[in-house]
Amino acid sequence: MNLRVSAIWMTLVLNVVMTTGCNNQSRIQTKTTEVFNVTVSIVPQKYFVRKIGGDRVKINVMVKPGADFHNYEPKPEQLQALSDAKAYITIGIPFERAWIDKISGINTQLQIIDSARGIERLPMIDHDHHKHHHSKLKLETAIETLDPHIWLSPTLAKIQARNIYKGLSKLDPDYRAKYLENLNIFLQEIEQLSNQIKENLTQIENRKFIVFHPAWGYFANEYNLIQIPVEVGGQRPSPAELVKLIKKAKKEKIKVIFTQPESNTNSAKIIAKEIDGEVLFISPLAPNWSENLLEVSKTFSTILD
Ligand SMILES: [Zn+2]
């Protein structure tokens, strides 16, 4: 065989091998990964995963809009629906810890991607942080309760985006380059968003705000604001605690109590009435993450001054 013939022969052999290989792969892919299923816990995660995964991923959200994720229990049919998910992307909220074993038991192939990896959580802060009257047991629980609302900080969102990118690339290596491209676009978007938020908040002098449920701790840290929660240890305040908070609000000249659509707003209304102020809604769980944070910063810039 001369060189030319053997080269042609090699090409033919390679073609056959590659074609067969591809055929096998595409058969597997149409079955399981053409568009693969990924489950997330809360709505804002869907925004992140869509940004990185594009239309490669079908995203299923466990906690539906309007539901409270803090005390959430997945329904049996939701667990069943996880049987064909390729991955569960966690964010470190309490029900995941309780349910992930069960979920993995239903689908042993399920990959767990921890989008919160490398993020150090802060303790939840009460408005009366230094003067707890709780029993020792309750105090210990309070100390151990770390703030789960990490998606509300653009800086921490970048870490989550990188974790999601790594997870999806491992799961679907053929699309790694696309995911990387998407990641870089998203990181840029976050950077721009953060700059806009900073700009909106630079002029504010009174940087304290009252919010019913302290979801905005990481956001406040990042933009040099001070969050004063109405809730105490995740509970509605007692009448005495409410009185204290009203005093504080008057002293700080606070005129707005922020709350979220998922919360019972009665104590927020009581405070608002006492300080001759109003209740405003800001959502930590809005589906359009980026636009929502920008809106929140605009609201703060008009309300706090
Ligand atoms: Zn919360």
Side-chain angles (χ1 to χ4, degrees):
M1 228 188 279
N2 66 32
L3 211 64
R4 199 181 137 74
V5 173
S6 81
I8 292 169
W9 177 242
M10 272 309 287
T11 314
L12 276 174
V13 170
L14 273 178
N15 266 339
V16 170
V17 169
M18 281 170 72
T19 319
T20 331
C22 285
N23 272 348
N24 273 340
Q25 218 177 9
S26 68
R27 216 179 305 139
I28 294 165
Q29 277 185 358
T30 40
K31 206 174 147 205
T32 57
T33 65
E34 182 71 62
V35 169
F36 60 88
N37 291 345
V38 166
T39 294
V40 297
S41 294
I42 53 170
V43 171
Q45 283 181 284
K46 185 174 179 176
Y47 186 93
F48 296 169
V49 177
R50 179 68 69 219
K51 284 284 173 182
I52 314 286
D55 47 20
R56 280 290 286 171
V57 287
K58 191 171 169 228
I59 306 162
N60 165 45
V61 183
M62 287 296 267
V63 184
K64 301 300 173 211
D68 179 15
F69 71 82
H70 300 85
N71 314 305
Y72 189 75
E73 289 212 357
K75 294 175 186 65
E77 62 267 28
Q78 279 187 300
L79 294 180
Q80 209 49 54
L82 278 168
S83 59
D84 64 344
K86 204 161 166 67
Y88 195 116
I89 302 182
T90 58
I91 191 168
I93 61 179
F95 85 84
E96 291 169 351
R97 281 192 287 277
W99 286 84
I100 215 78
D101 284 348
K102 259 181 207 170
I103 292 169
S104 305
I106 285 168
N107 177 349
T108 51
Q109 305 296 307
L110 188 73
Q111 301 288 315
I112 308 292
I113 298 170
D114 178 13
S115 68
R117 193 181 169 153
I119 293 175
E120 201 182 319
R121 288 188 197 77
L122 303 171
M124 292 284 266
I125 296 169
D126 294 346
H127 64 82
D128 203 16
H129 199 55
H130 305 289
K131 291 175 201 160
H132 274 269
H133 305 294
H134 303 305
S135 67
K136 191 170 177 283
L137 187 75
K138 221 178 156 192
L139 188 61
E140 274 170 4
T141 332
I143 287 169
E144 278 171 17
T145 307
L146 297 177
D147 188 345
H149 308 93
I150 53 171
W151 65 94
L152 293 171
S153 145
T155 298
L156 299 185
K158 284 183 188 169
I159 301 177
Q160 292 163 71
R162 286 196 186 94
N163 286 334
I164 292 165
Y165 155 70
K166 281 182 203 154
L168 291 184
S169 301
K170 219 172 166 182
L171 217 64
D172 188 25
D174 290 353
Y175 278 73
R176 181 188 296 267
K178 185 63 190 163
Y179 296 142
L180 183 60
E181 192 189 322
N182 291 348
L183 171 71
N184 287 328
I185 294 169
F186 187 35
L187 291 177
Q188 247 174 3
E189 182 190 319
I190 298 175
E191 186 62 27
Q192 271 174 14
L193 168 73
S194 190
N195 288 336
Q196 279 176 304
I197 294 174
K198 264 179 220 151
E199 214 177 289
N200 288 344
L201 297 175
T202 43
Q203 300 300 322
I204 298 171
E205 271 178 32
N206 184 0
R207 305 193 77 86
K208 291 179 182 162
F209 66 98
I210 294 184
V211 60
F212 182 80
H213 174 69
W216 299 90
Y218 298 105
F219 183 89
N221 278 357
E222 190 153 342
Y223 300 105
N224 200 19
L225 300 163
I226 297 167
Q227 170 182 251
I228 304 171
V230 176
E231 282 183 344
V232 181
Q235 308 290 321
R236 261 176 286 163
S238 68
E241 286 164 336
L242 210 52
V243 168
K244 237 186 255 172
L245 186 60
I246 289 164
K247 262 190 199 154
K248 190 168 184 167
K250 283 180 178 165
K251 197 178 141 217
E252 305 282 358
K253 298 188 171 63
I254 290 170
K255 286 287 172 201
V256 169
I257 313 297
F258 291 101
T259 189
Q260 63 192 64
E262 297 82 14
S263 291
N264 177 327
T265 54
N266 280 343
S267 12
K269 279 183 196 150
I270 294 170
I271 302 166
K273 203 178 158 207
E274 287 298 321
I275 63 171
D276 197 20
E278 59 178 320
V279 175
L280 274 188
F281 287 87
I282 48 175
S283 175
L285 291 168
N288 194 338
W289 175 82
S290 178
E291 200 181 289
N292 181 51
L293 287 192
L294 193 61
E295 280 308 310
V296 167
S297 74
K298 282 182 194 158
T299 307
F300 280 175
S301 74
T302 31
I303 298 300
L304 317 172
D305 53 19

Short mmCIF file of all heavy atoms in Angstrom, two decimals, residues 28 153 169 177 227 235 244 286:
data_model
loop_
_atom_site.label_atom_id
_atom_site.label_comp_id
_atom_site.label_asym_id
_atom_site.label_seq_id
_atom_site.Cartn_x
_atom_site.Cartn_y
_atom_site.Cartn_z
N ILE A 28 -27.90 8.41 22.61
CA ILE A 28 -27.95 8.59 24.06
C ILE A 28 -28.44 10.00 24.40
O ILE A 28 -29.27 10.21 25.24
CB ILE A 28 -26.56 8.35 24.70
CG1 ILE A 28 -26.18 6.88 24.53
CG2 ILE A 28 -26.58 8.70 26.18
CD1 ILE A 28 -24.72 6.60 24.78
N SER A 153 -27.16 39.44 46.88
CA SER A 153 -25.92 40.20 46.75
C SER A 153 -25.31 39.93 45.38
O SER A 153 -25.01 38.79 45.05
CB SER A 153 -24.92 39.77 47.84
OG SER A 153 -23.59 39.82 47.33
N SER A 169 -20.92 22.40 33.21
CA SER A 169 -19.85 21.96 32.33
C SER A 169 -19.44 20.52 32.60
O SER A 169 -19.12 19.76 31.69
CB SER A 169 -18.61 22.84 32.51
OG SER A 169 -18.93 24.16 32.22
N ALA A 177 -17.76 25.27 26.34
CA ALA A 177 -17.38 26.56 25.75
C ALA A 177 -18.56 27.53 25.73
O ALA A 177 -18.41 28.72 26.02
CB ALA A 177 -16.84 26.35 24.34
N GLN A 227 -29.83 47.25 57.73
CA GLN A 227 -31.14 46.60 57.75
C GLN A 227 -31.61 46.45 59.19
O GLN A 227 -30.91 45.87 60.01
CB GLN A 227 -31.01 45.24 57.08
CG GLN A 227 -32.22 44.35 57.23
CD GLN A 227 -32.02 42.99 56.60
OE1 GLN A 227 -32.61 42.69 55.58
NE2 GLN A 227 -31.21 42.16 57.22
N GLN A 235 -39.46 35.12 64.05
CA GLN A 235 -40.84 35.15 64.56
C GLN A 235 -41.38 36.58 64.52
O GLN A 235 -40.61 37.53 64.54
CB GLN A 235 -40.88 34.68 66.02
CG GLN A 235 -40.21 33.35 66.28
CD GLN A 235 -40.97 32.20 65.67
OE1 GLN A 235 -42.20 32.18 65.69
NE2 GLN A 235 -40.24 31.23 65.12
N LYS A 244 -40.60 48.79 71.19
CA LYS A 244 -39.19 49.18 71.10
C LYS A 244 -38.82 49.59 69.67
O LYS A 244 -38.13 50.58 69.45
CB LYS A 244 -38.32 47.98 71.51
CG LYS A 244 -37.39 48.29 72.67
CD LYS A 244 -36.47 47.14 72.93
CE LYS A 244 -36.88 46.36 74.17
NZ LYS A 244 -36.12 45.12 74.33
N ALA A 286 -38.28 37.72 43.32
CA ALA A 286 -38.80 38.06 41.99
C ALA A 286 -38.08 37.26 40.90
O ALA A 286 -36.88 37.01 41.00
CB ALA A 286 -38.61 39.55 41.75
#
